[in-house]
Amino acid sequence: MERKLFIQKFALLALVPSVFIAACSSEEKKTGEAKAVKKQTFTCPMHPQVIKEEMSTCPICGMDLVPFEKNSNEKALTVDEKRQALANITTMVIGVNNLSGAKQLNGRLTVDPEQSSYISSRIAGRIEQLYIRETGVVVKKGQPLYQLYSEQLATLQQEYLMAVAQEKQFPGEKIEKQIVESAKQKLLLYGQSAGQVQQLLHTQKKNPYVTFFAPESGVVAELYVNQGQYVTEGGPILRLEGYGNLWVEADVYPNEAKGIKEGQRVKVVIPGWEDQPQEMTISFITPALQSGTQLTQIRGSISNPNHQWQPGAQANVFLPSGSNSAVLTLPVDAVIRDGKGMHVWIKKGKDSFEPKRVNTGEENDNQVEITAGLQNGEQVVVTGAYLLYSEYILKKGKNPVEGLKISG
């Protein structure tokens, strides 16, 4: 009996460490799980600088704070009913319609490089007078630009006068005539005009000062020198831009560029001058996508005789398109376009919205054809899509189309 009692006591003692170890392990697991729980932070949709660790209202505008989900991999965006009403988020079911009209591309006016000219110093010297001292000044052809002091030029003038005098000593000598002509050509090549050479011959006095004139009209775009500065032969003085013709550059997606050809004529409208539409011939289509985007460019030229338009102004390019029947269409504003691609927002539940990449085809002022990415019957956000786009970037810290592939 005593032996049996001893065995029971020994088994009980052996069991105590196991229970203790298991209890410790359980406690450590709970502690680890508690540490693994991340604190939820909240922010204001209108004032992202407001960040709190508890649900409350914004101290600035009084709006309810929302969960702050920065860098989350969740594609869905949750927007409650109240905020949907404030943001005017509305949806429609995409369906099949007929589409006709012209496709509008966003473009801009830029300087035509063929209208630009660089003016450099023909000879080394010091700029004694600089008649143009700021950019943006309109310059007329033949207008004086700067006066240069050059001992080298005075030496060339002296050589010319000596050659003329030498020819008079030996009239009729062919070699003397060639020397005179060579000395004259040097002066012309170094920037002296024919009138200045004739004046030199008349006065018989060398002049180390020479005035240089504008070879053509234009607007001073860049000025590289200051008065009193020494310049070397070939040193840049200024750059002129001509605005008589301007380039029109427009961004297009690769799938849109398939139907565009060089030599195709399109309509160009400058906002504010809708009553003066211009006709442009597409002269170039860039063969590569722009760096960091999914866009390529088309380019053409329009006349600007009165300089009424300035480089940098917006331009709308309209590509003619035929009539398509039985195609999926959406309002133009429903499609978000940026350098990463095109996408729309789909309503997945009462308060849930998800981005979907799409491809587009023909479009007019109001409707755009969806060629890939959506199915007939899906519920698409048609107003407030840009607000969802902005909120996604605010809350997730990345572009909604990153990692998305086109389906359908």
Side-chain angles (χ1 to χ4, degrees):
M1 183 67 179
E2 291 180 356
R3 185 172 181 275
K4 184 177 180 181
L5 184 61
F6 173 77
I7 293 174
Q8 289 178 347
K9 288 181 178 181
F10 180 78
L12 182 62
L13 290 174
L15 183 61
V16 169
S18 300
V19 173
F20 178 75
I21 292 173
C24 291
S25 299
S26 177
E27 186 65 27
E28 288 177 358
K29 185 177 180 182
K30 289 180 181 179
T31 303
E33 289 177 352
K35 290 182 179 179
V37 175
K38 294 177 65 177
K39 290 184 178 180
Q40 176 66 65
T41 55
F42 300 84
T43 186
C44 174
M46 302 301 296
H47 302 92
Q49 69 270 27
V50 176
I51 298 177
K52 294 188 176 183
E53 293 184 353
E54 70 279 345
M55 182 60 185
S56 61
T57 58
C58 175
I60 300 175
C61 65
M63 288 185 64
D64 292 337
L65 301 185
V66 297
F68 188 62
E69 305 166 0
K70 196 172 182 68
N71 297 322
S72 170
N73 291 323
E74 178 64 38
K75 283 297 178 183
L77 187 65
T78 301
V79 180
D80 60 46
E81 190 173 351
K82 179 180 177 182
R83 288 168 53 228
Q84 289 181 43
L86 289 172
N88 191 31
I89 296 174
T90 61
T91 63
M92 66 170 285
V93 176
I94 186 172
V96 174
N97 293 291
N98 296 329
L99 181 68
S100 62
K103 185 177 185 63
Q104 178 179 327
L105 304 178
N106 295 323
R108 71 212 133 264
L109 302 180
T110 62
V111 174
D112 183 350
E114 295 181 359
Q115 302 278 308
S116 300
S117 60
Y118 285 86
I119 296 176
S120 57
S121 177
R122 299 284 188 90
I123 196 168
R126 183 182 72 246
I127 296 179
E128 199 69 18
Q129 288 290 333
L130 186 62
Y131 301 111
I132 305 296
R133 301 194 181 189
E134 58 184 340
T135 58
V137 176
V138 178
V139 172
K140 301 294 184 183
K141 183 177 181 179
Q143 179 178 334
L145 298 177
Y146 64 98
Q147 185 186 67
L148 195 71
Y149 171 83
S150 174
E151 289 291 347
Q152 184 181 354
L153 182 61
T155 302
L156 293 175
Q157 291 174 346
Q158 186 64 39
E159 288 180 3
Y160 175 65
L161 292 176
M162 291 176 60
V164 171
Q166 187 74 14
E167 183 189 17
K168 291 179 179 179
Q169 297 292 326
F170 302 96
E173 289 290 333
K174 185 176 180 181
I175 187 65
E176 297 298 336
K177 288 184 178 181
Q178 290 177 346
I179 292 174
V180 170
E181 188 62 28
S182 176
K184 181 179 179 180
Q185 286 300 317
K186 282 184 180 181
L187 290 174
L188 295 175
L189 290 173
Y190 279 106
Q192 295 267 263
S193 66
Q196 288 172 321
V197 174
Q198 189 64 33
Q199 181 70 15
L200 171 65
L201 191 59
H202 176 71
T203 61
Q204 292 291 303
K205 293 180 179 179
K206 64 180 182 179
N207 184 4
Y209 298 95
V210 59
T211 300
F212 291 86
F213 302 90
E216 57 188 62
S217 300
V219 177
V220 179
E222 290 184 90
L223 191 62
Y224 303 106
V225 295
N226 295 308
Q227 185 167 302
Q229 180 177 334
Y230 281 86
V231 293
T232 60
E233 182 178 337
I237 303 295
L238 54 85
R239 179 170 65 87
L240 292 177
E241 288 180 347
Y243 296 160
N245 285 310
L246 293 175
W247 273 0
V248 179
E249 295 179 339
D251 298 326
V252 297
Y253 288 95
N255 64 307
E256 297 173 335
K258 294 177 182 178
I260 305 174
K261 297 180 180 179
E262 292 184 11
Q264 182 178 348
R265 301 190 69 82
V266 297
K267 184 175 76 171
V268 177
V269 174
I270 314 299
W273 285 271
E274 286 80 2
D275 59 333
Q276 301 179 38
Q278 304 293 307
E279 194 173 57
M280 180 186 80
T281 301
I282 298 175
S283 59
F284 184 72
I285 303 174
T286 53
L289 299 181
Q290 300 176 53
S291 177
T293 72
Q294 292 297 313
L295 298 170
T296 186
Q297 278 187 347
I298 63 172
R299 187 172 68 223
S301 150
I302 60 173
S303 178
N304 186 29
N306 299 321
H307 294 188
Q308 62 181 346
W309 301 312
Q310 292 77 40
Q314 182 183 351
N316 296 322
V317 179
F318 294 89
L319 297 175
S321 61
S323 177
N324 292 334
S325 59
V327 294
L328 291 176
T329 63
L330 281 175
V332 172
D333 292 340
V335 180
I336 307 297
R337 310 165 194 253
D338 62 14
K340 300 294 184 181
M342 295 178 288
H343 72 279
V344 299
W345 287 87
I346 304 297
K347 189 169 186 179
K348 287 293 187 179
K350 180 181 178 182
D351 299 328
S352 180
F353 300 88
E354 288 186 11
K356 289 191 75 173
R357 290 194 63 173
V358 295
N359 283 339
T360 62
E362 305 292 342
E363 68 179 84
N364 54 31
D365 294 342
N366 302 313
Q367 299 290 314
V368 58
E369 176 190 0
I370 304 299
T371 59
L374 294 179
Q375 301 293 330
N376 190 0
E378 289 190 279
Q379 195 169 5
V380 184
V381 175
V382 292
T383 63
Y386 277 97
L387 292 174
L388 292 175
Y389 171 74
S390 301
E391 182 162 348
Y392 188 96
I393 294 177
L394 168 69
K395 297 175 70 174
K396 311 284 187 179
K398 57 186 176 182
N399 194 298
V401 300
E402 288 183 13
L404 287 182
K405 295 182 179 180
I406 296 176
S407 60

